Amino acid sequence: MPDGYSIHGLLDALFRHTGEQVMVFDHELICRFVNKAACDYKALSEENFLGYHASTIFSPDRYETAIYGALQKALSGETVHYRIWREHHLGGQCGFDVRVEPVPDRTGQLLGALFSARDISEQIKAEERARLAMMMFEHTTEGLMMLGADQRIQVVNPAFTTLLGYSVDETLRNQPEMFVPSLANGEQPYTEVWHALEYNHSWQGEITYRRRDGRQVPTWQTMVRVRDAAGDIKHYLAILNDLTERQRFEDQVEQLVYYDILTGLPNRALLSDRISQAMARTERRNGQLAIVFLDLDRFKAINNTLGNALGDQLLRAVSDRLKQVAGSEATVSRYGADQFVILLPQINNPDQASALAHHVLDALNVPHEIGEQTLTVTASLGISVYPDDGDNREGLIQHAETAMHATKKAGRNNFRFYTQDMNQRSTEFLLLENNLRKGLQKQEFVLYYQPQIDLKTRAVIGMEALIRWQHPEFGIVPPNRFISAAEETGLIMPLGKWVIQEACKQNKAWQQAGLLFAPIAVNVSARQFGEQLESLTREALQNTGLDAHWLELEVTESTLMEDLNEAILMLGTLKHMGVHLAVDDFGTGYSSLAYLKRFPIDKLKVDRSFIIDILEDPDDAAIAGAVISLAKNLRLKVIAEGVENAAQLDFLAELGCDEIQGYWIAKPLPADQIPLFLTDWCTRNT
Ligand code: C2E
Ligand code: MG
Ligand code: MG
């Protein structure tokens, strides 16, 4: 006790100013002392307490009656201690730790009772928070672990033990590294984590754990360091999210998007990606890469004789062999039905590509055991090399494909590098008179049909016949690749004759089947537009029994303008037969309006070039509008070609166009798809 202080004085000061509420009562429960905290709490001054009986000080509510009861107990020598949580009369909730105890004198004689109440609101709130945190800890689906400053596990939650399959005891006091296998490069993932946590407050990333049963569990992990008030690291908290499901889902999506279902090989999309990556790498290293295009020989025949199921098995067997031969660096992808593309991402020398090609051919020459059958399938290969044979991936693939076709032509079961003149040769090849003639003999030409629609009624009011060359090696060849050659060589005459004949026959067949009663439109080239056309048309109608008004001939505007007088005569003869006449590609030539009036035509076809940009280009819109009103003035029908979307269609409807044709309705379709189109169209538009 310091000099000059009396214990009484010190206690008095302490009681007066402590934050705890203190009141002292004598043995008759008359208040003898009250401190500031108690006055403040009741919002009364000292005079309202001193000399008053406890029953008048405490109000008769539940909490204060309890205090009064406790005071009475204290007078019989009992200490009462309890906590309450109550409304504060100034608002809000507060918690109190209340103590009421007897006050004895030095001899043990009872003097009175001491009431003290401590505000423990903050403590209660903290406890509540801790309780909630504990609940979260127990029930969250995220794995949680708390490590000590020594990086050893101190606490884990149930989700953590479920995730890893270990019991709590098996994890405690271990370092988390124990559950994390090293990466392929020998590094322990946690090394990076600890390193990061030296400088940062937290770390996030993927860590793959090994479960007790050996399975790997990928997780997304957040790790936070926890310091104490002095700033020393006390704990590390780790939160683990199980990524297994997500990864499985991602794998599935990737499989669907990037892999071929039948063979499991990368598809075109993934191949494109890989080629782009390889090209970028090659550029940095000044190296080369090779594309090997492989097409199985006569696979269609095999498929047709053996059936699709065995065909599929064969494709799978082939893809297995290709993977084996190509090695792990290469990408073997399925490119088409029986086409594969192999990417060699890094070669020093084209010889490496030819070595692979040899290996592929050898590997395929070993017969496959498929079901009960022993099958051998050969392949034709073409190779292109980057950067020599092209600077973009489409070009490279195309060139490898061209080389493959050259291999086929030279007798199959072999390979060939792309050379510059191959491209030229492949197109030249198509254009050779001889080949056109052969194609005609072998009936390699077919007609596709594109429907024409009445804008108002949505009825199908015609079909345009469009020729295709179904080439055994080049696939479907469009007319712009061979029509001009056919015209130059004069082969357009037999070809055109076949077209009219075939179109009339087809239309008659549709009529007999009750499918369609509308004219069939046939394109007539300038070379055909002579005297022969009349006899040819007459013959076709006679041979097929089609009525003349079910046939429409399309002549281009420029054909008509070549020799105006001749054209008028020619058209007159055809018109006289009852055939409909349309002017194709209208707007691209320089029509003489004076003559146009004298042509006995029925219809103008607004050229596709005006329709493409009709919404964006005001000039195109103006021309289309002018052609449509011109047609109206001349009392001609008008049809717009190449309508590809609803917006164009609406715009043309507003301009007063009668009819349309284009991909928006249907692409040109092979004859056998027309019945389905017609039923579909009818159900959609009635
Ligand atoms: P065309 O008579 O003007 O035929 C319209 C062309 O536009 C067709 O091309 C058709 O497929 C295409 N087309 C139709 N709608 C759309 C569309 O919405 N978008 C796009 N992008 N294109 C569309 P195709 O079949 O390649 O024919 C090209 C040209 O070859 C024809 O132009 C025609 O002049 C000529 N041709 C086609 N078949 C024959 C034929 O049997 N004999 C003659 N002499 N020429 C033919
Ligand atoms: Mg046409
Ligand atoms: Mg046209």
Side-chain angles (χ1 to χ4, degrees):
M1 181 69 44
D3 286 346
Y5 286 92
S6 74
I7 179 103
H8 179 262
L10 280 174
L11 282 177
D12 188 60
L14 188 65
F15 277 143
R16 255 177 224 294
H17 300 294
T18 177
E20 223 169 291
Q21 300 173 35
V22 180
M23 284 184 227
V24 181
F25 295 87
D26 65 14
H27 66 280
E28 285 177 337
L29 288 185
I30 304 295
C31 182
R32 293 300 172 193
F33 174 86
V34 62
N35 76 344
K36 183 167 180 320
C39 292
D40 288 352
Y41 179 70
K42 299 259 323 167
L44 295 170
S45 63
E46 215 178 25
E47 293 85 73
N48 299 105
F49 290 87
L50 298 180
Y52 285 92
H53 191 262
S55 61
T56 61
I57 291 173
F58 295 108
S59 51
D61 74 15
R62 192 149 65 89
Y63 308 103
E64 302 208 353
T65 0
I67 297 175
Y68 185 70
L71 282 169
Q72 283 175 320
K73 279 190 183 158
L75 287 187
S76 56
E78 210 180 308
T79 297
V80 183
H81 184 191
Y82 60 93
R83 284 177 162 198
I84 55 161
W85 184 250
R86 61 173 299 189
E87 302 287 331
H88 195 293
H89 63 93
L90 297 177
Q93 290 254 327
C94 39
F96 287 104
D97 183 89
V98 177
R99 222 181 145 82
V100 181
E101 51 198 311
V103 185
D105 70 3
R106 246 170 248 173
T107 63
Q109 195 65 40
L110 191 79
L111 278 180
L114 172 75
F115 159 86
S116 65
R118 188 158 53 91
D119 186 340
I120 51 163
S121 312
E122 282 312 311
Q123 189 186 332
I124 292 178
K125 280 183 205 153
E127 282 169 8
E128 180 67 6
R129 277 197 297 270
R131 201 175 64 82
L132 289 176
M134 199 58 206
M135 272 185 44
M136 272 158 55
F137 185 80
E138 290 290 325
H139 296 292
T140 177
T141 53
E142 284 151 337
L144 299 175
M145 64 174 160
M146 183 73 92
L147 313 179
D150 60 357
Q151 303 175 347
R152 286 175 187 278
I153 298 174
Q154 290 182 339
V155 187
V156 292
N157 74 341
F160 182 87
T161 52
T162 313
L163 191 68
L164 294 196
Y166 287 97
S167 71
V168 176
D169 284 341
E170 285 169 318
T171 60
L172 295 189
R173 286 172 300 282
N174 281 308
Q175 292 183 305
E177 281 92 326
M178 162 145 172
F179 309 104
V180 177
S182 297
L183 302 174
N185 61 12
E187 263 174 44
Q188 163 58 237
Y190 260 97
T191 315
E192 185 204 326
V193 179
W194 297 130
H195 187 70
L197 285 174
E198 273 177 45
Y199 303 101
N200 304 305
H201 164 69
S202 65
W203 175 90
Q204 280 201 324
E206 270 189 54
I207 291 194
T208 299
Y209 283 79
R210 194 196 301 109
R211 281 176 54 88
R212 198 173 203 278
D213 60 15
R215 259 194 301 137
Q216 307 253 320
V217 196
T219 69
W220 179 255
Q221 184 166 330
T222 305
M223 199 133 179
V224 193
R225 51 178 202 205
V226 185
R227 293 175 186 276
D228 64 7
D232 293 327
I233 292 178
K234 279 281 159 185
H235 296 286
Y236 297 94
L237 173 66
I239 306 163
L240 285 72
N241 280 294
D242 187 353
L243 293 183
T244 314
E245 272 312 306
R246 205 181 78 188
Q247 206 158 61
R248 195 172 301 154
F249 178 69
E250 281 172 1
D251 288 352
Q252 270 172 2
V253 170
E254 186 179 285
Q255 191 68 28
L256 282 176
V257 175
Y258 287 116
Y259 292 86
D260 170 52
I261 294 173
L262 177 67
T263 60
L265 292 178
N267 62 12
R268 281 184 188 214
L270 185 53
L271 174 72
S272 291
D273 263 18
R274 299 254 171 102
I275 297 179
S276 300
Q277 283 168 18
M279 279 170 67
R281 249 178 288 138
T282 309
E283 240 157 64
R284 283 199 298 276
R285 283 204 216 104
N286 267 334
Q288 291 179 310
L289 64 81
I291 307 278
V292 182
F293 199 108
L294 181 153
D295 188 294
L296 297 180
D297 296 330
R298 301 196 174 89
F299 180 75
K300 276 201 195 82
I302 297 179
N303 214 21
N304 289 344
T305 41
L306 295 180
N308 284 334
L310 286 189
D312 285 354
Q313 280 188 44
L314 182 61
L315 286 173
R316 273 196 289 259
V318 167
S319 54
D320 286 344
R321 291 221 179 139
L322 293 179
K323 267 192 299 197
Q324 263 172 24
V325 178
S328 58
E329 286 280 285
T331 296
V332 179
S333 69
R334 179 143 182 244
Y335 196 75
D338 60 340
Q339 295 180 327
F340 299 84
V341 169
I342 305 174
L343 162 70
L344 292 178
Q346 193 188 344
I347 54 169
N348 302 319
N349 183 322
D351 289 348
Q352 284 173 268
S354 43
L356 173 77
H358 276 297
H359 286 140
V360 167
L361 293 172
D362 289 348
L364 291 182
N365 275 330
V366 180
H368 297 269
E369 304 290 334
I370 305 276
E372 314 267 88
Q373 320 253 1
T374 305
L375 294 173
T376 315
V377 63
T378 60
S380 300
L381 280 61
I383 304 171
S384 67
V385 175
Y386 174 80
D388 298 355
D389 298 335
D391 55 6
N392 63 67
R393 53 173 201 233
E394 284 76 23
L396 282 169
I397 297 178
Q398 226 170 53
H399 288 164
E401 186 177 1
T402 304
M404 178 277 289
H405 284 303
T407 307
K408 291 244 178 202
K409 219 168 26 152
R412 303 188 169 94
N413 193 16
N414 207 338
F415 74 92
R416 190 160 295 237
F417 278 91
Y418 171 78
T419 57
Q420 289 265 302
D421 56 332
M422 260 180 202
N423 238 354
Q424 233 168 333
R425 255 190 280 148
S426 76
T427 30
E428 272 167 15
F429 171 78
L430 277 176
L431 304 183
L432 285 178
E433 183 179 350
N434 206 11
N435 287 308
L436 273 171
R437 200 181 300 280
K438 258 198 256 163
L440 201 57
Q441 269 166 14
K442 291 205 249 154
Q443 305 187 334
E444 288 170 3
F445 293 94
V446 288
L447 290 184
Y448 276 36
Y449 299 90
Q450 189 176 34
Q452 303 174 329
I453 302 298
D454 183 296
L455 253 178
K456 282 205 196 71
T457 65
R458 301 277 155 141
V460 177
I461 45 80
M463 288 279 173
E464 180 174 4
L466 294 156
I467 195 167
R468 303 284 180 268
W469 187 354
Q470 213 157 29
H471 197 279
E473 278 173 31
F474 299 103
I476 300 281
V477 183
N480 55 11
R481 301 261 301 271
F482 60 85
I483 287 285
S484 57
E487 284 179 332
E488 273 166 41
T489 55
L491 276 171
I492 193 70
M493 301 313 264
L495 196 61
K497 180 177 172 179
W498 175 81
V499 172
I500 297 187
Q501 188 81 34
E502 178 67 20
C504 291
K505 191 168 110 194
Q506 184 61 66
N507 204 20
K508 184 75 187 174
W510 282 331
Q511 290 187 357
Q512 280 168 341
L515 268 172
L516 178 71
F517 295 90
I520 189 122
V522 173
N523 291 282
V524 175
S525 89
R527 273 292 299 268
Q528 283 173 279
F529 195 66
E531 271 151 55
Q532 278 193 32
L533 185 59
E534 186 201 337
S535 55
L536 207 135
T537 307
R538 208 181 288 283
E539 244 170 70
L541 291 172
Q542 254 161 26
N543 289 347
T544 59
L546 189 74
D547 237 31
H549 70 279
W550 296 124
L551 175 66
E552 181 168 86
L553 295 180
E554 288 190 10
V555 189
T556 65
E557 188 184 12
S558 48
T559 306
L560 294 181
M561 293 305 140
E562 263 174 35
D563 186 340
L564 290 165
N565 292 319
E566 166 77 31
I568 292 171
L569 276 176
M570 192 65 235
L571 291 176
T573 323
L574 291 167
K575 184 78 201 173
H576 190 69
M577 281 168 58
V579 172
H580 287 231
L581 298 168
V583 183
D584 205 353
D585 304 344
F586 193 80
T588 57
Y590 300 93
S591 287
S592 153
L593 290 183
Y595 275 95
L596 198 59
K597 265 204 303 205
R598 295 173 53 199
F599 289 146
I601 46 177
D602 304 282
K603 193 190 266 192
L604 295 185
K605 297 192 80 175
V606 187
D607 192 60
R608 192 162 68 83
S609 58
F610 304 114
I611 310 300
I612 298 173
D613 291 328
I614 196 165
L615 298 171
E616 292 85 27
D617 188 336
D619 289 345
D620 286 352
I623 294 175
V627 173
I628 291 165
S629 48
L630 175 71
K632 299 264 136 128
N633 280 324
L634 296 176
R635 291 197 190 77
L636 302 176
K637 287 252 170 210
V638 60
I639 183 166
E641 321 181 275
V643 176
E644 293 190 354
N645 55 54
Q648 292 170 345
L649 183 146
D650 293 342
F651 192 87
L652 286 160
E654 248 168 66
L655 290 179
C657 190
D658 301 324
E659 300 168 0
I660 54 160
Q661 174 182 350
Y663 292 176
W664 179 246
I665 309 299
K667 290 200 168 181
L669 301 167
D672 60 0
Q673 288 181 26
I674 292 295
L676 184 63
F677 164 80
L678 288 172
T679 38
D680 260 16
W681 181 259
C682 277
T683 34
R684 268 189 290 147
N685 290 281
T686 47

